[in-house]
Every structure is written in structure tokens, then in C-alpha cells.
Amino acid sequence: MGSEFITRRSLVTGAAALGGMALIGEGVTGLVRPAVAAGGLRPTRTMRGGSNNYRPNAPLVDRLGSGFHVHGTVRQAGGGEPLSNVRIQIWAATTRGGEREPSNHGSVMTAADGSFVLEMDQIVPNFGQPHAHLAYDDGRFETVFLRPVMGSASDTSVRADFVLAPV
Amino acid sequence: MTSRQTFFEDRPGLAWAVWGILAALVTVPVVVALNSPWLPGRNPAYVMAGLAGILGLAMLLFQPLLAAGYLPGPGPLLARWLHRALGVGIVVAVLLHVAGLYVTSPPDTVDALLLVSPTPFSVYVVTAFWGVIVTAALVAARRRLGWRASTWRVVHNALAAMVVGSTVVHALLIEGTMGPVSKQILCAAVVVATAATLVHLRLVRPWRMRRRRSRDV
């Protein structure tokens, strides 16, 4: 965390740098560096603010509402094999309430192809940006918190992909 | 001063127009925000925080106009009193804004104030916040400080410009309950009022006075 603070401070030099950070923040996949020479697929790094308002062990649900889909894939670092039966916890501010509203928290398991999807109510801007929170926090792999930002508040889905490294 | 008073006294229609435009610049964004589709999903503290932010931004519009005595109606003494009252109002609005956000989400609020938030606008949030706090502290300590009037003007005006600039950028970058159009118009009005006042009071008027003095000599 300490190094992150310094990185942030040194980056905060002007609107241009900040605008650039916003663009990077919008593409979840941007965090997975494609050009890794050796060692294969790099693990996804936790995003700044990703764990805000996290409540561990969100209940497994079929859905939390309707009209909006949070989806993505979970793969293993290195070879990129899809990981099935992995629990992903999801929460967000929606039309039904904020990020601390219990009924905005739910977990889903990944399918055989490593994909997951959770239907919930429409995500709305919270603290100035429409975004979701996703967590892998079950111990088998390194914990990862993601905070994908929607391109537009009227989007009806948001995607976040995990590449997990074994502990 | 007297010339400005008579200017509007000779043109009562214009005086009404000025106040009508100012009233619209403030009330339209508030009404639009109160009808935001995102309000139903927000808790009362979050709703209050957003509203306090809008009112704080709106009060910034009047501060330079009152300080310079541009507005039709209030004389110099009343304008000065109103400038102070709105200054207190801005501080209260900022505190309610931050407090409401903290109740809504403590980690997001603390992240923003510590500049570790993922949002690209938090540097402007922090600049505006400390600008207002430092301004208020200096106003409270003004007599004790015993600064020369010229020093005070430079510091107070620099802080004001900083607060206005960072507040407007913050407001424009966030997606909140304000409607985009009414927000842009109010922000533009605040910037124009501040910039025009600073240029007039600190550049144009001193330059004219110096020229008049040299001509008299």
C-alpha cells in the first residue's frame, strides 16, 4: 500500500495525468499486461478502492435484482486455465440503495468455462463514478479486489476478469 | 460606488434582470437535482451531502459579486455583511457535504481526503476542501494576523481563485445528481463571475487609477 501512495502522489501532477488514470481505470483488462515474455499470464492486481464497503462472505444468490449484469471470467495465472467453481463476491450501489445495503451484496460461482454472471438492479453512480466491486477472497488463490468503472451510467452491464495466482 | 448605484437606479429593468438570472442560475440546478433518478436509491445523508455541494457551488457565484459591490440593491455595508454570511454558509455547506459522504461510505470519503481514491477528481476535492478551511481560518484570525490590506487581498483572492477552480473541476468531473447542462451553466457562471471580478478589481481598476493620478500630476 505504501508504494501505491507514492505512485499516486507522483502521478498527481496535473489534469492530463489524472485523465490518463481515469482511462486506465476504465479498462479492467488493461491491468492484465498482454506482453509478458516469460511466466505466461500475470495475476490481476487489486484495484485502488476495490475493497471499500466489502462485507466478507456475501450469500450465494441466484440474482439480486434485474436489469443489470455483472460478468466476467476467472482464469489461473501462468497458463490461463479457466477456474470453475470459484466464488466471486459482488456488490455495488444500485437503484435500491448504496454499497452498504445488504441486498446489494451477493456471491456467484464460476461455471466450467470459468465464467460468472450476476444479475442485479441497475448500478448507479456512487461517489461520482458508476462502478461495481468484485472480490475473490477464499484463500486458495491470492485475494483480489476489483473496481470496474462503467463507461456510462446508462450501461446495463459491466465486465471484470480475474487472473488468480495460487497462494 | 455611487456611479454603480445610480447605474442600476436608472435602469430598474436591468436590476430585475440581473437578479432574475442569478435566481435561475441557482434554482434550476437545485430543482433538476431534486428530480434526479438516482435520488430514490440514496440514503438521507447522501441526499443532503449532494444538496449541500450544489448550494456551496451556488454560493460561490455570489461571493465575488458581493465583494466587488456589483449587485444592484445592497449598499456597500450590506454587501459586505452578505459576503461574510455566505462565507460562513460555504464553510457549513462543505462540512455537511463531507459529513454526509462520510456517513454514506467512510472508506470512500477517507480515501478521497487522503488522495488515495481511485477517482481522478479527488485531487480537486482536496484542494477545494483545504482552500475553504484555510480561508475560513484566515478570516477568523484576520485581526490577530495584522496583515496589510494589500497582503490580505492577494492571499484571500488567490485562495478564492483556487477554491473556485478546484470546486468547478470537481463538480464537472463527478457524476452526481446534478443535471449535466444546468451544472455546466452554473459552473461557467461561477468561473466568469470570479475571473471578471479579479481582473476588474486587481488589474483594470488599479491601472486606471494610476493613469488618472499621473494625469492629475
Side-chain angles (χ1 to χ4, degrees):
Chain A
M1 263 324 232
S3 64
E4 266 193 51
F5 279 48
I6 294 157
T7 314
R8 171 68 176 176
R9 289 265 162 76
S10 55
L11 275 174
V12 177
T13 48
L18 290 162
M21 283 196 61
L23 288 176
I24 294 165
E26 272 165 21
V28 179
T29 47
L31 287 176
V32 184
R33 286 169 186 76
V36 179
L41 207 54
R42 285 252 188 105
T44 316
R45 289 195 305 181
T46 283
M47 291 176 170
R48 200 190 303 276
S51 64
N52 285 359
N53 296 317
Y54 174 53
R55 299 161 170 256
N57 298 315
L60 279 170
V61 291
D62 293 328
R63 47 157 48 189
L64 288 175
S66 63
F68 192 96
H69 293 86
V70 181
H71 64 108
T73 58
V74 182
R75 287 177 297 162
Q76 185 158 343
E81 305 86 353
L83 293 170
S84 63
N85 216 31
V86 168
R87 181 175 72 158
I88 297 298
Q89 302 180 53
I90 298 169
W91 68 102
T94 70
T95 47
R96 74 166 63 191
E99 287 177 2
R100 310 189 116 202
E101 162 61 41
S103 68
N104 274 335
H105 289 244
S107 293
V108 288
M109 306 301 288
T110 54
D113 63 352
S115 68
F116 67 89
V117 60
L118 173 66
E119 187 172 10
M120 60 196 304
D121 284 339
Q122 177 68 39
I123 290 183
V124 295
N126 193 48
F127 276 65
Q129 285 184 326
H131 63 275
H133 291 269
L134 300 92
Y136 169 80
D137 186 25
D138 285 336
R140 227 173 100 209
F141 301 92
E142 298 284 355
T143 295
V144 174
F145 287 98
L146 299 183
R147 183 188 176 281
V149 177
M150 289 146 61
S152 156
S154 54
D155 287 357
T156 54
S157 71
V158 68
R159 179 184 179 120
D161 295 320
F162 289 80
V163 176
L164 300 179
V167 174
Chain B
M1 273 313 172
T2 42
S3 64
R4 196 171 303 126
Q5 293 296 353
T6 44
F7 175 82
F8 279 117
E9 272 164 26
D10 294 344
R11 300 167 179 80
L14 191 61
W16 278 104
V18 167
W19 279 107
I21 290 168
L22 289 173
L25 281 169
V26 172
T27 49
V28 171
V30 171
V31 170
V32 170
L34 287 176
N35 286 293
S36 165
W38 298 326
L39 275 187
R42 292 187 172 198
N43 65 55
Y46 199 5
V47 172
M48 178 208 70
L51 208 56
I54 301 169
L55 292 176
L57 173 64
M59 283 189 269
L60 289 180
L61 172 62
F62 293 88
Q63 286 301 65
L65 306 178
L66 286 167
Y70 292 153
L71 293 176
L77 279 178
L78 180 57
R80 193 176 167 81
W81 185 87
L82 285 170
H83 182 74
R84 281 190 188 169
L86 283 193
V88 172
I90 289 168
V91 173
V92 171
V94 166
L95 294 179
L96 286 176
H97 186 63
V98 176
L101 292 176
Y102 184 81
V103 169
T104 305
S105 176
D108 284 313
T109 307
V110 172
D111 280 359
L113 289 177
L114 294 180
L115 282 177
V116 293
S117 158
T119 51
F121 40 79
S122 56
V123 63
Y124 302 105
V125 171
V126 172
T127 307
F129 176 76
W130 287 110
V132 168
I133 299 299
V134 170
T135 302
L138 289 179
V139 168
R142 185 172 181 176
R143 285 216 186 132
R144 238 166 303 154
L145 289 169
W147 287 353
R148 277 185 305 179
S150 56
T151 309
W152 174 265
R153 273 200 296 265
V154 169
V155 173
H156 189 73
N157 288 175
L159 281 166
M162 189 179 96
V163 167
V164 164
S166 50
T167 300
V168 163
V169 174
H170 158 47
L172 291 175
L173 287 180
I174 71 151
E175 269 186 89
T177 52
M178 287 188 90
V181 177
S182 63
K183 177 164 74 177
Q184 285 163 18
I185 292 172
L186 177 57
C187 285
V190 171
V191 169
V192 168
T194 307
T197 303
L198 287 175
V199 167
H200 179 227
L201 288 190
R202 305 294 171 238
L203 296 176
V204 175
R205 217 160 63 172
W207 180 72
R208 272 196 194 149
M209 276 167 79
R210 212 175 309 139
R211 228 177 46 157
R212 202 176 305 153
R213 227 175 289 144
S214 61
R215 216 186 307 147
D216 290 348
V217 170

